[in-house]
Amino acid sequence: MSAASWVLVGRVGPEAVDRVCARLRELTPEVGVVLGDPADGVHALALAGRVLSETPDRPVVVPLVCRDRNRTALVAEARGAEALGCRGLWLLTGSPGPAEAAAVYELDPAVLAGVLGQAGVGLELWASGRLTTPAERARAGVLTGVGVSRWIVPAGGEPPEPIPGLSLVRQGPGGDLVPLEVSP
Amino acid sequence: MVVTTPKPWDEIRFALGDGKRWIVMGCADCAAVCQTGGSSQVDELAERMEDEGLEVLARVDLPSPCDRRLTRRDLKRVVRELEAADGVVCLTCGGGAQAVAELVGKPVVAGLDAHFVGTVERVGVFHEQCALCGACVLNATGGICPVTGCPKGLRNGPCEEANAGACEAEPGLECVWERIWERLETLGRIGAFGTVRPPAPPVRRPRSTGRRTR
């Protein structure tokens, strides 16, 4: 793993930025931070910039959400993460937003990984999902084949069987900073 | 089949404006199946218009308004009424309405809204099963379309939120990618599941396979 341990930060609204950053400053620099899908919260790159400005050596993984972005926007965000000094990208499909907004899913994580490779983005690629059904496990195999190396498994249930080529990270209980437990 | 619904009468009435004499045209194909543009609906609209003091010079059922060759032929039957009319009300999809508009050279009022290409379960119950994406993946998905079946239209699924076969974006919906897995497994073609399918080509409008004239 590229960090001693990891924490997952969920959606951060503007009112929570200072509190979350204060909590992160209490952690040693070796603890990596994975920023979750911001949805309608603070943009992930902005939050990553704040975290890295306060602790430049901290490994930071930012979400790259396919929802509502075409490939141009996704590549630009990935390059922005690289320029900030982020460690990795968490490729997410994303959930639909409010009903009055048209949902756009030009790419999905499997295609996005290939697009990022063609664009020369060299960050570590993360993905996530349950690994319970054969279809879910097959999806993980596909994503591994296109360069994903880290996988976040949601909390609850039995630890899944390992997937060759994937390092599994399991979500702990909730809260502002959710610990991510590296599977043996 | 193009699935349509009727526009509200107020919207149609507004579009008729000051015109007094009209021809009402329906579609004996898709709109007739939907019961939005068949001969009964043409009669209903014509009677509503006459109740409003408008004059309906002709009621026409076009076999396929979107086929310009057939429409050009069929409009010859009402050439005198067309000359006298202020315009045409079309109970057809947008393709049919535009084909008529190009041929008659008069104001055309669209009486229907078109929604999707669907299959018919029974009258009034339609299912969108083709998104006209131009890059069909049915051959690789066991005949199940993920673009219309998945609320996110994913061509490589399931998404990370899938929960043991349940769709997270549409409560109560089974994940289409789980159905695709089961279908491919039944067909002995599970190897097709692991292919990364590229996105459909981006839509550049106007779309036409015809020759541009300028």
Side-chain angles (χ1 to χ4, degrees):
Chain A
M1 293 291 290
S2 50
S5 61
W6 294 88
V7 293
L8 170 64
V9 177
R11 175 194 172 279
V12 179
E15 71 290 343
V17 173
D18 289 337
R19 184 186 80 237
V20 169
C21 290
R23 293 282 308 279
L24 290 175
R25 284 196 299 272
E26 296 170 3
L27 304 173
T28 62
E30 295 78 34
V31 176
V33 173
V34 179
L35 301 178
D37 181 356
D40 60 348
V42 172
H43 194 284
L45 288 189
L47 193 56
R50 171 81 181 263
V51 171
L52 288 167
S53 70
E54 294 176 351
T55 318
D57 296 333
R58 188 182 302 290
V60 175
V61 173
V62 291
L64 197 55
V65 185
C66 294
R67 177 202 59 235
D68 301 337
R69 290 165 176 80
N70 64 8
R71 69 174 63 207
T72 307
L74 288 166
V75 170
E77 283 205 13
R79 288 188 168 140
E82 213 168 21
L84 276 178
C86 294
R87 182 69 59 91
L89 297 167
W90 180 8
L91 306 185
L92 288 161
T93 312
S95 298
E100 57 270 20
V104 174
Y105 291 97
E106 181 185 356
L107 304 184
D108 52 68
V111 175
L112 177 57
V115 168
L116 294 176
Q118 289 168 2
V121 175
L123 298 177
E124 190 174 88
L125 297 183
W126 294 50
S128 60
R130 294 170 182 84
L131 298 175
T132 49
T133 71
E136 290 166 353
R137 295 182 64 81
R139 170 180 176 259
V142 168
L143 286 167
T144 307
V146 292
V148 171
S149 58
R150 316 287 182 205
W151 194 274
I152 300 176
V153 180
E158 291 293 316
E161 291 293 315
I163 304 272
L166 268 187
S167 176
L168 300 185
V169 180
R170 202 142 182 266
Q171 272 184 255
D176 273 348
L177 303 181
V178 177
L180 296 177
E181 302 147 6
V182 179
S183 289
Chain B
M1 193 195 71
V2 177
V3 175
T4 50
T5 55
K7 284 186 175 292
W9 165 249
D10 288 345
E11 187 178 336
I12 296 174
R13 185 64 191 92
F14 180 81
L16 294 173
D18 297 328
K20 300 294 183 202
R21 290 175 293 181
W22 295 87
I23 294 176
V24 180
M25 291 188 181
C27 166
D29 203 339
C30 302
V33 174
C34 292
Q35 296 191 355
T36 55
S39 55
S40 298
Q41 290 78 46
V42 168
D43 288 340
E44 283 172 21
L45 180 63
E47 285 157 20
R48 181 75 187 263
M49 292 169 68
E50 287 167 347
D51 288 343
E52 296 273 326
L54 302 172
E55 192 178 351
V56 178
L57 301 179
R59 306 176 188 189
V60 183
D61 287 323
L62 297 169
S64 286
C66 51
D67 189 331
R68 298 177 189 188
R69 302 165 300 172
L70 300 179
T71 300
R72 186 179 293 115
R73 176 199 69 191
D74 292 333
L75 287 179
K76 291 177 183 173
R77 292 191 274 119
V78 290
V79 63
R80 278 185 291 188
E81 288 86 349
L82 274 171
E83 285 172 6
D86 293 317
V88 178
V89 181
C90 282
L91 297 184
T92 66
C93 70
Q98 290 182 78
V100 170
E102 287 171 9
L103 291 168
V104 302
K106 295 213 171 180
V108 166
V109 171
L112 303 181
D113 289 317
H115 298 278
F116 55 81
V117 170
T119 57
V120 185
E121 181 174 327
R122 59 179 184 275
V123 172
V125 180
F126 309 101
H127 303 283
E128 183 182 18
Q129 293 193 282
C130 179
L132 308 179
C133 68
C136 187
V137 293
L138 288 180
N139 293 339
T141 57
I144 298 174
C145 175
V147 181
T148 54
C150 172
K152 303 177 184 179
L154 297 180
R155 298 166 71 85
N156 295 285
C159 69
E160 65 274 353
E161 298 290 346
N163 188 359
C167 176
E168 66 94 18
E170 190 72 31
L173 188 69
E174 184 186 358
C175 174
V176 73
W177 280 98
E178 293 287 343
R179 288 175 45 217
I180 289 171
W181 174 274
E182 289 166 10
R183 175 75 64 84
L184 289 174
E185 201 172 35
T186 302
L187 296 174
R189 302 181 60 197
I190 206 63
F193 194 90
T195 307
V196 176
R197 284 160 283 278
V203 173
R204 305 279 188 218
R205 288 193 163 91
R207 292 196 286 190
S208 172
T209 56
R211 183 172 54 89
R212 289 179 180 270
T213 57
R214 63 176 74 179

